[in-house]
Amino acid sequence: MANTISTIPFKGTAEQAALLDKVIAEQKGKAGCLIPVLQKAQEIYGYLPVEVEEKIAEGLDVSLEKIYEVVTFYAQFALNPKGKYNVSVCLGTACYVKGSGKVFDKLKEVLGIDEGGCTSDGIFSLETCRCVGACGLAPVMMINDDVYGRLVPNDVAGILEKYKN
Amino acid sequence: MDMINVIIDGKEYSVRKGATILEACRSVGIHIPTLCYLKDINEIGACRICVVEVKGAKSLVAACVYPIDRDGTEILTHSPEVLKSRKLTLQLLLSTHDKKCLSCVKSGQCEFQQLCKEYGVDDENKFEGIAVKYEKDTSMPHLIRDNNKCVLCRRCVAACDKNQGVAVIGANERGFITHIGSAFELKLNEVACIACGQCITVCPTGALTEVDDTQKVWDALNDPSKHVVVHAAPSIRATLGEEFGLPIGTLVTGKMVAALRRLGFEKVFDTNFTADLTIMEEANELLERIKNGGTLPMITSCSPGWVKFCEHYYPDLIPNLSTCKSPQQMMGAVIKTYYAEKMGLDPKDMFVVSVMPCTAKKFEIGRDDQAAAGVPDTDVSITTRELARMIKRAGIDFNRLPDEEFDSPMGLGSGAGTIFGATGGVMEAALRTAVATLTGKNPEKLEFEGVRGTQGIKEASYNVAGVDVKVAVASGTANAKKLLDMVKSGEKDYTFIEIMGCPGGCVNGGGQPFQPASVRNFVDLKALRAAALYKDDENLPVRLSHENEDIKTIYREYFGTPGSEKAHHALHTSYVARKKLNVNK
Amino acid sequence: MKSLAEIAEIRNTMKDKVSPAEGSNTMRIVVGMATCGIAAGARPVLETLVSEIEAKGLSAAVSVKQTGCIGICQFEPVVEIYQGGKEKVTYVKMTPDKAKRVVEEHVVGGKPIAEFTLQEGEAVNEKPVSLTETRFYRNQKRVALRNCGVINPEDIDEYIATDGYAALAKVLNEMTPEEVISTVLASGLRGRGGAGFPTGKKWELARTLVQDGGQKYVCCNADEGDPGAFMDRSVLEGDPHAILEAMAIAGYAIGASQGYIYVRAEYPTAVYRLNIAIDQARKYGLLGKNIFGTNFDFDIELRLGAGAFVCGEETALMTSIEGKRGEPRPRPPFPAVKGLFGRPTILNNVETYANIPQIILKGADWFASMGTEKSKGTKVFALGGKINHTGLVEIPMGTPLREIIEEIGGGIPGGKKFKAAQTGGPSGGCIPASLTDTPIDYDNLIAIGSMMGSGGLIVMDEDNCMVDIAKFFLQFTVDESCGKCTPCRVGTKRLYEILEKITSGKGELSDIDKLEELCMYIKQNALCGLGQTAPNPVLSTLRYFKDEYIAHIVDKKCPAGVCKDLLTYKIIADKCKGCTKCKRNCPVGAISGEVKQPHVIDPDKCIKCGVCMSNCSFGAIVKE
């Protein structure tokens, strides 16, 4: 299994680090403070990349794995940031038989990311979903709330272009 | 002790109040199977193998964690319901298990396999369905993790966290895809694993095994251009017998030497010799530090798991580590320098095999600054388990071997050397020699009881020639952590500290024979094995390192004095601070 | 910090504002602002009401307040107008425009607008309707929900006005901890979170088993995770102080000075209001040191759940508060001996606590007079699914299911036939039509293979496939299993896989035996209550709807027409006009046919998405 360190370069700022330091200082030593710290950290950074978890591990003096096992237990915590635009490809049956798998592969290629990933500029993240109820338009993908249907792989680049500015 | 009456399988017994059902049953001769349970460190009731019926309970209960505090409790340990449940649990576990038992190194010693046999699992494929496929982790020189054989008992996690205070492995994700792994699914060489192998010794299946280096040894033995020598660590003689059905704590020094010789090694040396050499160098180093205002407390460096732990977790204490190489590496260095010279051999044509109780030794041989003769001091380090495997493969009937003696010139070891295998042993050996050095005469009583015993942390203070020497001993790196934090905070102050990476010291090392939980939970493995070493010490003619004739010879013929330049070059080493995360982000 | 007298003073001055007395010339307008109300658009309605009243210079006599859940979800946004001596008027499906007219005609003109009020049935009422008169409401009995939809949850004074904190005052000044416990015991109150353990017993154990003078904890389970259940959210959003007061009472009873509320992060409104309530209570000295000048200290900390259903299980919840993976621990030791941070702890759910202040004030006998022999008081249900009136209802224990469905719920929409009701969420079961006369209480529900659970009640009609429902719940359990014990981690997955096999038409009769074997095994062997009850949806559907399983396995048919793999779409040649619309819209090209000729569907290519059927203007396509 490949590691789950986000491929998006970490862009934490000094302000964010100072905020997290403050949270850690407030919570350190309080019984059961790990989850509240993780929740605040995710509020600050939007997700919990290795850089943030390392900082918490250091600050609270617990092993990184003890943080990671908590992070992966709870659905609320994310290891990857979501992009400004979240691209979600329907892999429901209708879309799949109409080639949404190929559209998905093309998206991965164009964006250079895998499922659950986010581009390094933070603009696009990529997900798959089950049926969005638009089988007549299959294959379908959604970019935030916009639905694109009857796709062929070559449409992908052009559609993404519209969001780049 | 409060006793209460219970009815187990229809018969009335008197058992200790508050005992778990598992303990109570054991005390009256009824065995209940377990899988996840490890006394004190993993009492989680997760696997459900140990379920029994308790009258009045609405479901079956886990015997390992269910305390009996009510008089008249009625327990059924093998009712049809119980037996059926245990069998189903095994079958469910099998549905996610890689069932390649024939080629599994753990076959025959696998607790899971044993249970399947006991419970008559007649269909290993009763439940078919998705099983997650995991990649093996082969990134470390000492261990292979194959999660396809993992039953998620979490014994390894408990050992890593509770005993070792390292916690580089844990349960990741949840539900059906829960698996044991490291943070961010990194490989073990990318996190701060100390290679102690404690996880391996507690794994009930073949999910965690040492890297088997025996083929390298066979190859060397069959290579006519190599001069292949072997040496065996102090604790091997106290544990190897277990692999051949002998009771825990049986001393098998002579048979071990005989077996090694029959495997074809040119020379069979005794690591006790370099344990003594370590004492000479370390005692000298300590006295020098005291005299010259060097960094104190000085901490021992024989245990490579502890050394790696120090480098990852307490890099600021590296100056406190003794610069002495471990006995394994001293032996390699001595063989490839002193012995090579003596025999007229080119170190490049020599092949040094060490038999160690330890998996971290496999890591140690690849460290920097461990090549006295310009080639690695040690070529291959194998564990007690691997040696047993070689003996069995060679068809040697171990129990019928005669007792034989180690070879010269590194075949003599003192009683002080032999107790290196137990926690406190290095300290005791050093104290014996330190007293002699400082007072000019050997201590009247050689036993330093204050540093003996299997407790995790021991402290003692001795007045030696008018000087108060405060010492501490810790085993298991979780205890080391506790001790060092007290030292760092200034709460405690010592001159000399002995730390061994594994709880109880090398007798309980990561490379020692497997003992199933059914044994571990009910006997003190550490104490039984250590007792054999203390007995060995008692019976040996020489019990002080500085009185070992071979030691005297080597200083006379080669090194001159402890701490000489030559000794420094061959017998001392250096350390590096290591990061907790070794990965490119 | 307020004294007893000051609290009483607040109560007196606020009373008339919250419920205007006869002859009073004040008017009170409340807007339902629970999550569902806000989502339906209550905020602009509230804002319009406030600005209109201000613009008309009526602010002195007319108060406009937000309130919690009024209970009638499908009519949100809801506005109610209270006037002294008059029946309240309930306006439903409000908009800002309607709100303007209400101010104009009702508030100013004194003439309620009947057509905006709640209408039941076909005929439009001439007379304005109050919620209290409706079939939906009149059989309800509001104890836990008494303040929801009545007071402003963000104003402690309004809570005090409705006897808030009077129970805490009474307990601290007039009762010993033992008396509090015996009152709760005598009331017969049982835990509203699922299993129904007697609350007083729980408190008694926590008080008596360990008496070492060390810390004890009072926890509130607000991690309501059952799909379709929102009772606790409504109480937290509508009456947060009731929970704080009850927890303080519990703290006094067991000897604890610290409380934790474990609430889902997915309930932001509840979290927001709880935080406000805790702040206000601290300011008034109703939380903190020396409450009411006594030597009793008690404070509360909020902990947010992080998205794990299993944390609703008591030991998992405590492990989660401790900052770890929310995995359950074996019991014994029970939390009353060794709970949070290894100390004696009680955990009750929100609804349980909501009953406590009332029991203290009105007495155990009053509470015990409601309900059945072994299940006292009332129970709140979140009524949903195939039912006309979805919403939140509180009824006395022992009310037959039929009454909830037909009277309060107003029956099944579209003239469909009732098939089953599901209670207890993923731990519960399905109750068939033949058992709708069963009076609902803890023991009856267990006896018929379901359980009370926290109070989700989902109604299903003939279009629901019971095998599919079982599969739905198992999917949920598999997703939410913590992964610690073998029976739940692997067992539920295998259970799910067998159900999937059956619904995809590959089932064999022996699979039923396998299902039963696995279900019984998981029930007996799983580590925690959630694991042990996970098979209930399968067991109860097997018990009452085995014929549906058989139909899937033997006939390879899904009688309800839900399981896609067992459906075939067909074109009835006689009805097909050959318009080609279905052919053009089929995503997989499974339909062929010439213009004006009957078309056919190729079953091998058809993916059963149903697009053709919804596109056919002639009703020529059927699924069977």
Side-chain angles (χ1 to χ4, degrees):
Chain A
M1 187 197 240
N3 73 47
T4 53
I5 292 177
S6 180
T7 51
I8 321 308
F10 178 60
K11 291 206 189 100
T13 62
E15 288 76 35
Q16 286 173 319
L19 280 173
L20 181 56
D21 282 336
K22 194 164 158 258
V23 169
I24 292 171
E26 276 167 13
Q27 295 279 338
K28 187 167 183 175
K30 272 200 190 173
C33 66
L34 177 58
I35 292 172
V37 169
L38 289 171
Q39 286 169 330
K40 291 263 163 54
Q42 184 154 303
E43 266 174 41
I44 295 168
Y45 290 95
Y47 70 122
L48 297 169
V50 64
E51 291 81 359
V52 172
E53 289 186 38
E54 263 187 297
K55 198 169 159 61
I56 296 170
E58 205 64 40
L60 297 179
D61 194 24
V62 289
S63 91
L64 185 63
E65 166 57 20
K66 283 204 161 178
I67 291 176
Y68 186 79
E69 65 173 13
V70 168
V71 168
T72 55
F73 185 87
Y74 295 99
Q76 185 191 14
F77 298 126
L79 297 176
N80 279 296
K82 274 211 174 157
K84 186 172 169 202
Y85 300 106
N86 189 39
V87 183
S88 177
V89 182
C90 176
L91 288 184
T93 323
C95 287
Y96 192 75
V97 298
K98 292 283 273 182
S100 66
K102 284 182 191 138
V103 173
F104 183 56
D105 289 342
K106 188 74 184 179
L107 277 163
K108 287 202 277 191
E109 179 195 321
V110 172
L111 295 172
I113 54 177
D114 224 324
E115 180 171 6
C118 180
T119 54
S120 52
D121 54 12
I123 297 195
F124 295 105
S125 50
L126 184 60
E127 280 178 357
T128 60
C129 63
R130 288 184 207 161
C131 188
V132 296
C135 300
L137 295 175
V140 169
M141 72 172 179
M142 289 179 74
I143 300 183
N144 290 355
D145 291 334
D146 305 335
V147 178
Y148 294 88
R150 300 190 205 283
L151 293 169
V152 291
N154 282 340
D155 294 343
V156 163
I159 294 172
L160 293 177
E161 206 52 48
K162 291 199 284 185
Y163 290 87
K164 280 192 177 156
N165 302 314
Chain B
M1 193 159 54
D2 268 4
M3 301 298 281
I4 48 174
N5 292 324
V6 295
I7 301 160
I8 304 173
D9 300 327
K11 248 180 82 76
E12 204 173 312
Y13 298 96
S14 174
V15 300
R16 181 171 62 83
K17 189 177 181 193
T20 62
I21 293 178
L22 180 73
E23 291 164 340
C25 286
R26 180 89 178 197
S27 73
V28 300
I30 295 166
H31 174 74
I32 293 171
T34 60
L35 200 50
C36 69
Y37 176 74
L38 273 188
K39 196 170 169 50
D40 298 330
I41 62 168
N42 205 43
E43 303 181 343
I44 61 174
C47 73
R48 317 309 283 175
I49 280 295
C50 68
V51 291
V52 295
E53 271 185 63
V54 170
K55 203 169 177 188
K58 70 176 167 52
S59 61
L60 300 178
V61 306
C64 65
V65 289
Y66 193 97
I68 308 177
D69 42 24
R70 199 167 37 84
D71 211 54
T73 303
E74 280 182 58
I75 299 159
L76 294 174
T77 68
H78 58 263
S79 67
E81 174 83 37
V82 166
L83 296 186
K84 201 176 144 204
S85 289
R86 290 181 189 162
K87 184 171 168 181
L88 261 169
T89 297
L90 292 167
Q91 284 170 319
L92 284 171
L93 285 173
L94 278 165
S95 75
T96 62
H97 194 76
D98 162 2
K99 295 180 272 280
K100 291 179 189 151
C101 298
L102 288 180
S103 55
C104 181
V105 68
K106 208 62 184 287
S107 188
Q109 289 181 304
C110 171
E111 294 178 39
F112 182 38
Q113 187 187 41
Q114 181 64 27
L115 286 168
C116 288
K117 198 170 114 188
E118 268 172 33
Y119 285 86
V121 172
D122 43 10
D123 179 2
E124 72 269 35
N125 296 320
K126 175 167 175 143
F127 295 103
E128 286 167 335
I130 295 168
V132 186
K133 291 273 167 263
Y134 296 97
E135 242 176 67
K136 282 188 194 177
D137 182 353
T138 56
S139 66
M140 286 293 277
H142 76 295
L143 164 151
I144 294 170
R145 180 167 70 207
D146 183 357
N147 275 349
N148 301 303
K149 290 177 178 164
C150 175
V151 292
L152 284 169
C153 67
R154 307 198 192 181
R155 280 156 52 167
C156 56
V157 175
C160 189
D161 178 20
K162 305 262 175 61
N163 284 347
Q164 301 305 81
V166 165
V168 287
I169 50 172
N172 291 348
E173 303 290 341
R174 73 172 183 217
F176 188 69
I177 57 168
T178 308
H179 59 275
I180 305 305
S182 298
F184 293 88
E185 310 298 347
L186 291 168
K187 295 193 184 322
L188 275 172
N189 70 338
E190 296 169 317
V191 298
C193 167
I194 62 167
C196 67
Q198 282 297 307
C199 55
I200 303 173
T201 62
V202 296
C203 178
T205 71
L208 292 167
T209 51
E210 69 281 340
V211 170
D212 188 309
D213 288 312
T214 54
Q215 193 54 47
K216 290 184 197 160
V217 181
W218 291 118
D219 290 348
L221 287 169
N222 289 313
D223 182 344
S225 71
K226 292 281 182 210
H227 182 85
V228 188
V229 299
V230 68
H231 60 106
S235 63
I236 313 297
R237 65 206 69 193
T239 60
L240 183 62
E242 292 170 33
E243 290 277 359
F244 301 95
L246 297 173
I248 297 167
T250 309
L251 204 61
V252 294
T253 320
K255 289 190 188 338
M256 174 182 78
V257 174
L260 288 168
R261 205 161 274 140
R262 277 156 187 72
L263 282 171
F265 292 102
E266 207 100 15
K267 294 284 179 189
V268 182
F269 294 135
D270 190 353
T271 321
N272 287 12
F273 167 79
T274 37
D276 286 333
L277 192 57
T278 303
I279 290 302
M280 299 305 290
E281 290 296 321
E282 213 162 64
N284 176 68
E285 183 184 354
L286 179 64
L287 296 176
E288 287 291 316
R289 285 188 189 220
I290 294 173
K291 206 162 69 191
N292 303 330
T295 311
L296 290 174
M298 188 174 88
I299 313 175
T300 57
S301 57
C302 320
S303 164
W306 145 244
V307 169
K308 192 163 189 273
F309 180 86
C310 183
E311 292 174 323
H312 281 296
Y313 299 94
Y314 291 90
D316 49 330
L317 294 183
I318 286 177
N320 297 68
L321 276 180
S322 160
T323 58
C324 289
K325 282 183 182 173
S326 73
Q328 165 181 271
Q329 296 304 91
M330 283 200 186
M331 180 61 96
V334 165
I335 289 171
K336 291 191 180 177
T337 56
Y338 166 65
Y339 172 74
E341 249 180 73
K342 214 175 162 90
M343 300 289 287
L345 290 163
D346 183 345
K348 289 192 190 69
D349 297 332
M350 304 179 78
F351 195 89
V352 175
V353 177
S354 66
V355 183
M356 293 286 137
C358 179
T359 52
K361 292 282 173 195
K362 290 177 187 279
F363 173 82
E364 188 183 43
I365 63 172
R367 289 182 61 101
D368 286 342
D369 198 11
Q370 303 273 357
V375 289
D377 292 336
T378 307
D379 294 281
V380 171
S381 177
I382 59 170
T383 61
T384 320
R385 297 190 291 268
E386 288 165 272
L387 173 60
R389 233 170 271 154
M390 289 186 74
I391 295 171
K392 286 172 191 168
R393 196 166 303 164
I396 297 166
D397 186 347
F398 187 81
N399 293 327
R400 289 178 58 193
L401 287 170
D403 286 346
E404 295 183 4
E405 301 281 328
F406 287 106
D407 289 311
S408 225
M410 280 96 69
L412 282 183
S414 76
T418 215
I419 58 173
F420 259 57
T423 171
V426 177
M427 178 60 70
E428 183 169 340
L431 287 169
R432 290 179 189 175
T433 292
V435 170
T437 314
L438 288 171
T439 64
K441 61 177 201 284
N442 289 341
E444 270 166 42
K445 189 168 160 22
L446 291 184
E447 291 79 16
F448 288 75
E449 298 292 346
V451 294
R452 290 193 177 188
T454 55
Q455 314 89 285
I457 297 176
K458 291 169 283 192
E459 297 178 278
S461 180
Y462 296 100
N463 189 286
V464 186
V467 183
D468 271 332
V469 182
K470 283 190 275 182
V471 301
V473 173
S475 70
T477 42
N479 291 319
K481 201 173 191 169
K482 268 186 231 156
L483 182 67
L484 295 178
D485 286 344
M486 288 191 286
V487 169
K488 280 178 74 168
S489 71
E491 190 186 333
K492 296 278 182 178
D493 170 36
Y494 305 106
T495 317
F496 188 32
I497 299 175
E498 176 210 290
I499 295 178
M500 293 193 189
C502 294
C506 309
V507 284
N508 191 34
Q512 294 286 30
F514 289 121
Q515 284 295 348
S518 55
V519 171
R520 287 178 169 269
N521 286 330
F522 299 97
V523 304
D524 189 348
L525 205 55
K526 308 188 277 268
L528 289 178
R529 287 172 173 174
L533 292 181
Y534 285 111
K535 192 140 185 278
D536 191 31
D537 168 40
E538 220 179 288
N539 294 334
L540 280 169
V542 177
R543 295 182 66 193
L544 294 139
S545 299
H546 57 275
E547 292 188 347
N548 179 337
E549 287 304 325
D550 280 357
I551 290 288
K552 290 182 189 166
T553 309
I554 201 171
Y555 277 109
R556 195 174 57 239
E557 289 183 0
Y558 194 73
F559 288 123
T561 55
S564 69
E565 207 188 315
K566 214 167 181 181
H568 239 279
H569 172 72
L571 307 178
H572 291 253
T573 186
S574 55
Y575 309 100
V576 287
R578 293 176 199 269
K579 287 188 292 189
K580 285 191 189 150
L581 216 51
N582 177 29
V583 65
N584 293 324
K585 280 175 236 160
Chain C
M1 184 131 126
K2 305 276 184 207
S3 66
L4 263 181
E6 285 168 314
I7 297 287
E9 179 57 30
I10 294 171
R11 183 165 300 132
N12 282 333
T13 51
M14 285 301 292
K15 217 156 210 157
D16 190 56
K17 289 192 181 143
V18 174
S19 63
E22 189 154 4
S24 152
N25 54 4
T26 57
M27 185 187 261
R28 176 177 166 91
I29 306 177
V30 297
V31 183
M33 287 274 287
T35 297
C36 34
I38 296 169
R43 200 175 293 281
V45 172
L46 175 72
E47 284 160 3
T48 306
L49 287 168
V50 170
S51 62
E52 287 294 304
I53 297 289
E54 250 173 48
K56 300 224 160 12
L58 296 169
S59 302
V62 182
S63 66
V64 182
K65 298 286 176 189
Q66 60 169 327
T67 187
C69 173
I70 295 171
I72 37 174
C73 303
Q74 85 270 36
F75 295 111
E76 298 278 7
V78 179
V79 172
E80 295 198 311
I81 299 188
Y82 292 84
Q83 229 173 332
K86 290 185 185 165
E87 189 63 67
K88 72 173 177 184
V89 176
T90 307
Y91 289 111
V92 298
K93 295 192 175 166
M94 289 297 284
T95 61
D97 286 343
K98 284 179 169 180
K100 273 187 197 160
R101 275 189 59 194
V102 166
V103 173
E104 196 72 39
E105 294 171 36
H106 183 165
V107 179
V108 179
K111 210 173 156 291
I113 309 169
E115 56 178 299
F116 291 174
T117 62
L118 190 62
Q119 305 290 328
E120 277 185 308
E122 301 296 310
V124 174
N125 269 305
E126 295 297 313
K127 190 168 95 44
V129 178
S130 156
L131 178 62
T132 11
E133 303 162 334
T134 59
R135 277 166 76 201
F136 174 76
Y137 201 90
R138 67 184 165 227
N139 290 339
Q140 292 196 44
K141 176 110 189 124
R142 297 210 148 195
V143 179
L145 297 177
R146 72 184 181 107
N147 281 331
C148 292
V150 177
I151 63 165
N152 176 1
E154 296 178 20
D155 184 352
I156 189 172
D157 289 353
E158 292 207 359
Y159 178 66
I160 290 170
T162 56
D163 292 333
Y165 291 105
L168 180 60
K170 179 177 173 185
V171 159
L172 294 185
N173 292 299
E174 299 166 26
M175 295 169 83
T176 63
E178 288 76 11
E179 283 166 350
V180 175
I181 290 171
S182 62
T183 304
V184 177
L185 263 177
S187 75
L189 177 65
R190 293 170 66 174
R192 299 303 195 232
F197 191 81
T199 306
K201 188 83 200 154
K202 202 181 249 187
W203 293 15
E204 187 177 39
L205 293 173
R207 173 160 191 87
T208 54
L209 289 182
V210 178
Q211 302 196 39
D212 58 4
Q215 182 59 280
K216 296 184 182 183
Y217 296 102
V218 169
C219 293
C220 172
N221 187 348
D223 190 47
E224 184 175 54
D226 290 9
F230 53 89
M231 302 72 55
D232 295 345
R233 172 172 65 71
S234 299
V235 174
L236 295 172
E237 290 176 352
D239 198 12
H241 283 286
I243 306 307
L244 308 187
E245 183 181 8
M247 287 176 72
I249 292 169
Y252 176 73
I254 70 160
S257 62
Q258 180 64 46
Y260 287 94
I261 301 177
Y262 189 89
V263 58
R264 305 182 79 196
E266 294 91 329
Y267 284 177
T269 307
V271 171
Y272 175 76
R273 288 185 184 156
L274 276 169
N275 273 320
I276 291 177
I278 291 172
D279 277 352
Q280 290 175 342
R282 283 186 188 144
K283 280 205 186 94
Y284 277 25
L286 299 166
L287 286 178
K289 297 255 175 234
N290 303 107
I291 298 171
F292 286 124
T294 66
N295 58 8
F296 175 63
D297 305 336
F298 191 77
D299 208 346
I300 290 174
E301 197 178 313
L302 273 194
R303 284 298 173 91
L304 303 196
F309 175 74
V310 66
C311 291
E313 196 276 344
E314 68 172 355
T315 58
L317 184 146
M318 291 173 201
T319 335
S320 181
I321 292 180
E322 290 169 5
K324 303 177 204 153
R325 291 165 65 86
E327 292 172 351
R329 302 195 274 245
R331 298 179 312 174
F334 289 96
V337 176
K338 220 175 159 190
L340 187 60
F341 303 117
R343 298 294 309 161
T345 303
I346 55 162
L347 175 73
N348 291 116
N349 99 323
V350 172
E351 189 187 337
T352 314
Y353 282 125
N355 282 297
I356 295 289
Q358 294 295 294
I359 291 172
I360 298 293
L361 287 178
K362 297 186 177 168
D365 291 345
W366 163 80
F367 190 81
S369 70
M370 296 177 285
T372 64
E373 196 198 334
K374 285 188 177 158
S375 302
K376 301 297 186 190
T378 59
K379 177 77 194 89
V380 183
F381 286 99
L383 199 51
K386 307 279 183 67
I387 186 105
N388 277 317
H389 301 152
T390 58
L392 206 61
V393 304
E394 183 170 357
I395 46 156
M397 292 277 188
T399 305
L401 186 59
R402 184 187 300 284
E403 192 179 317
I404 302 176
I405 294 162
E406 291 176 6
E407 281 297 307
I408 298 173
I412 316 290
K416 297 273 185 179
K417 241 175 78 192
F418 170 85
K419 188 192 247 179
Q422 210 279 350
T423 65
S427 302
C430 294
I431 304 162
S434 59
L435 293 172
T436 48
D437 286 323
T438 311
I440 292 197
D441 69 11
Y442 290 101
D443 311 285
N444 284 339
L445 284 178
I446 297 274
I448 59 177
S450 184
M451 71 182 288
M452 187 72 83
S454 58
L457 202 162
I458 315 283
V459 179
M460 286 170 279
D461 69 8
E462 54 194 285
D463 291 340
N464 290 107
C465 165
M466 301 315 283
V467 187
D468 181 65
I469 292 292
K471 196 175 81 171
F472 168 80
F473 279 111
L474 254 297
Q475 171 77 70
F476 183 87
T477 307
V478 169
D479 285 347
E480 295 295 340
S481 164
C482 82
K484 184 174 177 179
C485 78
T486 315
C488 183
R489 183 184 68 244
V490 190
T492 60
K493 179 80 175 176
R494 299 295 171 242
L495 209 49
Y496 173 78
E497 286 169 343
I498 298 171
L499 291 170
E500 203 173 44
K501 188 177 163 200
I502 293 173
T503 55
S504 65
K506 294 175 193 135
E508 301 156 58
L509 275 176
S510 63
D511 286 330
I512 291 189
D513 299 336
K514 224 173 189 174
L515 279 179
E516 278 170 346
E517 185 187 19
L518 257 181
C519 283
M520 294 318 291
Y521 161 78
I522 296 168
K523 231 176 148 61
Q524 281 295 309
N525 285 272
L527 170 60
C528 78
L530 289 181
Q532 287 163 9
T533 53
N536 281 354
V538 184
L539 282 172
S540 78
T541 49
L542 270 175
R543 180 164 163 189
Y544 300 116
F545 302 96
K546 204 170 204 163
D547 51 331
E548 288 196 34
Y549 281 84
I550 307 270
H552 283 73
I553 293 169
V554 178
D555 312 330
K556 307 292 175 201
K557 292 259 184 268
C558 173
V562 173
C563 299
K564 274 191 178 183
D565 290 332
L566 299 176
L567 293 181
T568 40
Y569 282 83
K570 276 190 187 149
I571 298 176
I572 302 166
D574 288 353
K575 288 191 179 172
C576 178
K577 306 282 185 231
C579 75
T580 73
K581 201 173 168 191
C582 60
K583 182 176 154 187
R584 280 181 282 123
N585 281 291
C586 176
V588 290
I591 302 177
S592 56
E594 296 303 316
V595 182
K596 299 199 173 159
Q597 297 293 317
H599 282 43
V600 280
I601 300 173
D602 179 348
D604 292 337
K605 285 189 186 165
C606 175
I607 58 160
K608 295 139 186 175
C609 68
V611 167
C612 54
M613 199 165 152
S614 53
N615 271 299
C616 180
S617 317
F618 310 101
I621 301 179
V622 293
K623 62 174 179 182
E624 52 189 36

